[in-house]
Amino acid sequence: MSIRSASAALRLVRLRGAEAMSGSVGWLERVVDRLPDSPVFQFLARHVLVPFWAWRTPVAVAEGGPVMTIAPGDNVQRMMNLVMKLKDPSPIGRAKAALAIAQNVDEIYAGLNNVGTVHFARFVLVGDHLCMFSVYDGDFTNYIRDFIATIGSVFDAVVALIDGGDAVIPTEQNVEAFIDWVHARDLYQVPDLATDLLNQQRDGSATETDIRRLPRALILQLQANPNVSLGSGYRAYPGFSAAQLRHRLEVGW
Amino acid sequence: MSAMQGAFDPSELQGNILRGYRRAAVRYAVFEVVKPVAARRWLGRSASGGDAEVPAVTPERSWSVRPDYCFNVGLTFAGLRALGLGAAMLAQFPGEFAAGMVRRAVKLGDVGTSAPECWPAPFDQPARVHLVAAIYADDGAHLDAVQRLLEQGDAAQGLRLMGIRNGGNFDGDFVHFGYRDNISQPRFAEIAEHADLGEPIAPLGMALLGHSTGLEGVSWRVPQPSVLGHNGCFNAFRILAQDVAGFEGYLDQTAEQLLADPRGAVLLPPGDEGRIGAGLTRRAALREVVAAALCGRWRNGVPLALSPETPNPEPAVSLTAFDYTDDRRCPVGAHIRRSNPRGAKIVQRVASHTRRLIRRGMPYGPRFDPDRPDHVERGLLGNFIGASLGAQFEAVMYDWVNLGLQDPRITGSNDPILGVNDPATSWFDLPLRDGKPIRLAGLPRFVTTRGGAYLFLPSLPALKFLASLSPV
Ligand code: HEM
């Protein structure tokens, strides 16, 4: 804290000097441009400015999941990042979640096998949330629908532990609602490229630490939507479907 | 689940769902609901048997005497709302139907020249596409007579005609690109004539809401009250332009390529041209071999799965009772195998046999004459019907037609006839009897979307229910 404010003060002094030399941009403008680094500003921004801004400029929570595309390579190995609030976030409640998963391991493997389009799936407890992260091929709704048809009962056991989950179980009889429910909890994937983030507000005069370089739409989105995925995930090799990999590795598909 | 339903009564359905009318011509009239009270009155009269001014909605039935015309209606989500269906009832319809076809464009491959921004009127104003009426008859005079009825009385007051599309057979069951169509359809135990066709019987819930689906234990939501949703179904109405010159040109180009490729002789041993057709040149015979591979049927309809060597097998084979148990006979990527893998092994094992589509279509535009090539628009007025657009039509279009996810050997390629193909990246594997396939490249996009809408096809009681909604 103190080091940062000291450096901010120092920068102010330097700025005044620079202004004296250039004479073109007022020192106040420069202070404003560099403001985001100052702790006072950060406090105000978080508790006053951004909430006020968000109130003035309401944005909807962006749709979760990967963006729609027709490029085949982008339609395989897609990421699902579900963040689901536990009804009971106490250690007991979280232990129940751990048990619900562990009790169904065989069914989960059977499901992966019958659905055929999933690469990896894992469950993680983060604070009060149970997260399910997976990598799948093709369309999200088909993936979820096929899973319900295969191991709906496992979903039921897990979803029963989640805030708002009772409305969508048994999943086999609430397919559409359950798919929407999952979709609503799948994290928004922030565009992969900085250029995509910034293209609405290119401002050539912005400098390295300038607030003008931060994507405004993203700030507002993050105000409305605390958990997001940064990009759509990175692959170390071109996209292949799970079945293509199994086929090539001769492990049966 | 919804309230108990009585025994299934097919006569409560609209007549174009479980079977086709097999008429020679069709006219689709696209309407906007402008005065809901009059529109509902009109709908009620139509659903209750019609009268001198209002054509009757044709119910499902076996005809002893064919009527002069058949008449059916479908409603978009915007149309249900415009008729006055309340928010709570609208909210029970599935998300993809509520979104409408235009907002599902990327998922359906409607991009580039197929994008909704390129669609001509009335499909350039999707929010005003509310009701699509289909008139079927054997001649234009009957179509005109019914259309005149739609331009008077309650119809004229309540509905604004936004546009029409005419279709008609020009060569029996043969369609543009020269294939015989209207062969295979899901068959239902509830329809007597379907019993002996040798095709697997589909559960009623594949077509209609409120019945068991093909996915074990899974049921789709039936919009309530039950009378509204029960026995209803969804239709992806598509206007698909076909580039016949491009298609025939591609066959020419590929035949040339195969004439030059030594493996062309494995595909069709020299001297065997006669089994493809009497008096065919080698080039002409190769064209037919390629055309058959792209579709999975010879142009006369004979399935490769039963007759990989010739379109004229002796003894004759069934056109419908086949499977892909002998994997190599029909290319994995062929149109009919892609869009319905039947009993073939697929990646999404649990989805086997569940993504079936009822297809009701008729060509539009004049027959293409290769000696006088023209640029008139021609294609297919297609209806792809099922109980769930998401689990059937969209699943087929997105995962199978355009991604080839169902079999790792075709993943990353698109349907050769229907897909969003780009000649720079497209490919199609022609299987050879001795192993490695011949990979065809450079397929362009042969089919372009020119309009369409997601429609709900209500049962007759549901139409009457809609007609009885209280004034808004
Ligand atoms: C202009 C576009 C199209 C053309 C030229 C075309 C052509 C054909 C032909 C010639 C057949 C064989 C006839 C038969 O089995 O009855 C067929 C069958 C079929 N088509 Fe298409 N089709 C087109 C669009 C579509 C679309 C958009 C879909 C759906 C996604 C589709 C799905 C099917 C299915 C499911 C079958 C039956 C396969 C089977 O039962 O084994 N087609 N099509």
Side-chain angles (χ1 to χ4, degrees):
Chain A
M1 242 346 223
S2 62
I3 295 178
R4 297 203 62 184
S5 43
S7 78
L10 228 155
R11 209 179 297 139
L12 249 174
V13 174
R14 261 198 254 119
L15 274 172
R16 286 184 186 184
E19 185 228 357
M21 268 180 280
S22 75
S24 57
V25 183
W27 66 268
L28 190 58
E29 279 112 314
R30 288 178 179 251
V31 170
V32 169
D33 287 349
R34 299 277 165 112
L35 264 180
D37 283 345
S38 90
V40 174
F41 178 81
Q42 281 170 353
F43 180 87
L44 285 173
R46 176 165 182 189
H47 297 286
V48 182
L49 181 64
V50 173
F52 177 68
W53 178 22
W55 172 77
R56 285 281 304 263
T57 326
V59 296
V61 170
E63 200 177 340
V67 287
M68 269 294 161
T69 153
I70 54 147
D74 294 337
N75 281 319
V76 291
Q77 293 178 332
R78 291 141 67 86
M79 314 288 161
M80 182 179 80
N81 307 290
L82 285 192
V83 175
M84 305 177 284
K85 194 157 181 290
L86 285 166
K87 272 184 197 159
D88 172 6
S90 75
I92 291 178
R94 293 189 290 145
K96 276 188 195 159
L99 199 63
I101 308 293
Q103 276 172 334
N104 285 299
V105 171
D106 289 345
E107 284 83 351
I108 291 173
Y109 276 116
L112 292 173
N113 198 33
N114 276 313
V115 171
T117 52
V118 182
H119 295 253
F120 313 103
R122 59 206 178 105
F123 290 93
V124 181
L125 282 170
V126 179
D128 297 350
H129 294 85
L130 173 65
C131 307
M132 182 184 168
F133 301 131
S134 70
V135 178
Y136 64 95
D137 301 323
D139 174 52
F140 168 80
T141 66
N142 292 341
Y143 157 45
I144 303 296
R145 200 181 290 112
D146 289 353
F147 244 105
I148 296 173
T150 326
I151 52 162
S153 60
V154 177
F155 273 140
D156 292 352
V158 173
V159 171
L161 304 172
I162 307 297
D163 220 23
D166 293 333
V168 291
I169 49 180
T171 51
E172 290 182 340
Q173 262 119 68
N174 291 284
V175 182
E176 298 90 343
F178 181 66
I179 290 174
D180 292 345
W181 187 91
V182 174
H183 192 54
R185 285 158 182 76
D186 190 1
L187 298 188
Y188 165 59
Q189 304 190 357
V190 172
D192 283 292
L193 300 175
T195 44
D196 291 343
L197 275 175
L198 289 165
N199 62 5
Q200 299 134 310
Q201 52 178 59
R202 279 238 83 80
D203 182 344
S205 64
T207 57
E208 205 48 37
T209 55
D210 196 320
I211 195 172
R212 282 175 294 166
R213 286 183 57 91
L214 277 179
R216 297 194 181 159
L218 180 61
I219 297 173
L220 289 171
Q221 182 57 228
L222 289 171
Q223 173 71 16
N225 192 3
N227 303 320
V228 299
S229 164
L230 301 184
S232 55
Y234 305 99
R235 296 188 202 110
Y237 51 88
F240 290 106
S241 73
Q244 278 180 307
L245 295 167
R246 294 172 69 152
H247 183 52
R248 294 287 178 83
L249 296 171
E250 297 179 3
V251 292
W253 55 274
Chain B
M1 280 295 304
S2 51
M4 286 284 290
Q5 298 297 332
F8 176 63
D9 175 3
S11 70
E12 292 191 340
L13 304 182
Q14 296 202 56
N16 54 347
I17 296 166
L18 297 186
R19 59 182 143 184
Y21 296 130
R22 297 200 168 255
R23 309 305 290 247
V26 68
R27 178 168 301 165
Y28 292 96
V30 179
F31 291 100
E32 177 185 9
V33 172
V34 285
K35 296 232 177 70
V37 176
R40 288 196 300 257
R41 204 160 51 222
W42 173 83
L43 198 60
R45 288 165 72 182
S46 182
S48 313
D51 50 50
E53 290 166 345
V54 177
V57 168
T58 309
E60 162 63 43
R61 57 171 294 184
S62 298
W63 301 107
S64 40
V65 181
R66 272 156 57 102
D68 287 345
Y69 65 85
C70 299
F71 181 74
N72 293 98
V73 294
L75 290 152
T76 62
F77 187 77
L80 290 172
R81 184 166 41 211
L83 276 179
L85 198 66
M89 289 182 203
L90 286 170
Q92 299 174 59
F93 282 85
E96 64 275 6
F97 172 67
M101 188 177 279
V102 164
R103 280 165 62 199
R104 311 294 277 185
V106 178
K107 190 160 190 185
L108 301 178
D110 291 340
V111 296
T113 49
S114 284
E117 298 81 72
C118 305
W119 294 355
F123 301 103
D124 57 342
Q125 295 188 67
R128 296 175 62 193
V129 172
H130 289 165
L131 185 150
V132 178
I135 315 165
Y136 309 81
D138 290 325
D139 55 58
H142 282 103
L143 298 180
D144 292 342
V146 179
Q147 186 179 334
R148 273 195 299 276
L149 292 182
L150 300 177
E151 287 166 334
Q152 64 183 43
D154 282 342
Q157 244 187 53
L159 305 170
R160 176 181 297 133
L161 183 60
M162 305 276 292
I164 60 169
R165 290 292 182 276
N166 288 309
N169 290 330
F170 55 82
D171 186 11
D173 278 336
F174 284 82
V175 295
H176 299 300
F177 296 166
Y179 296 99
R180 186 173 157 199
D181 200 350
N182 280 322
I183 304 169
S184 50
Q185 297 287 357
R187 306 295 177 182
F188 301 93
E190 291 76 8
I191 299 289
E193 293 92 322
H194 285 182
D196 300 322
L197 290 161
E199 284 189 285
I201 293 289
L204 210 48
M206 195 233 78
L208 304 175
L209 291 174
H211 303 268
S212 310
T213 69
L215 281 167
E216 202 187 328
V218 168
S219 54
W220 310 133
R221 181 170 54 211
V222 181
Q224 299 295 311
S226 178
V227 62
L228 170 63
H230 189 73
N231 282 340
C233 65
F234 295 96
N235 176 16
F237 172 53
R238 305 277 279 170
I239 298 171
L240 301 171
Q242 295 175 249
D243 176 7
V244 181
F247 185 76
E248 296 295 333
Y250 184 75
L251 296 181
D252 289 337
Q253 169 195 329
T254 311
E256 295 296 341
Q257 182 192 329
L258 292 170
L259 283 171
D261 183 335
R263 285 178 307 158
V266 184
L267 187 68
L268 180 67
D272 275 10
E273 293 79 13
R275 67 172 155 81
I276 309 299
L280 289 187
T281 63
R282 180 156 181 77
R283 186 172 176 281
L286 281 168
R287 288 176 98 260
E288 291 311 306
V289 169
V290 174
L294 300 181
C295 181
R297 290 186 188 274
W298 297 93
R299 276 176 158 165
N300 66 3
V302 169
L304 289 182
L306 295 181
S307 179
E309 306 285 326
T310 171
N312 305 303
E314 279 179 45
V317 297
S318 164
L319 296 186
T320 50
F322 61 91
D323 221 321
Y324 300 105
T325 31
D326 183 342
D327 192 54
R328 281 167 312 170
R329 288 181 170 176
C330 178
V332 183
H335 172 63
I336 67 163
R337 183 162 173 186
R338 261 184 191 264
S339 45
N340 180 15
R342 299 185 177 223
K345 176 181 174 185
I346 57 169
V347 169
Q348 303 97 332
R349 276 182 274 293
V350 60
S352 284
H353 296 296
T354 68
R355 299 183 179 178
R356 304 216 48 200
L357 295 166
I358 298 173
R359 297 173 300 122
R360 303 271 171 249
M362 220 180 280
Y364 70 96
R367 176 188 212 145
F368 181 76
D369 179 355
D371 299 327
R372 294 181 190 182
D374 60 33
H375 293 284
V376 178
E377 187 181 318
R378 51 172 61 76
L380 178 77
L381 299 172
N383 298 279
F384 302 89
I385 300 172
S388 164
L389 289 165
Q392 294 167 272
F393 179 69
E394 290 192 345
V396 170
M397 286 302 293
Y398 178 84
D399 270 4
W400 290 358
V401 165
N402 278 325
L403 183 55
L405 206 54
Q406 65 271 49
D407 189 311
R409 293 167 294 178
I410 57 168
T411 304
S413 73
N414 299 331
D415 186 300
I417 291 179
L418 189 61
V420 196
N421 281 311
D422 172 351
T425 50
S426 59
W427 52 270
F428 177 81
D429 282 344
L430 276 179
L432 287 188
R433 265 162 300 175
D434 68 344
K436 218 172 170 275
I438 302 180
R439 179 158 291 193
L440 305 181
L443 295 106
R445 184 165 194 167
F446 298 123
V447 171
T448 308
T449 312
R450 299 290 288 154
Y454 278 168
L455 302 172
F456 180 56
L457 308 183
S459 69
L460 286 146
L463 286 172
K464 289 177 200 157
F465 169 79
L466 288 168
S468 73
L469 290 172
S470 48
V472 281

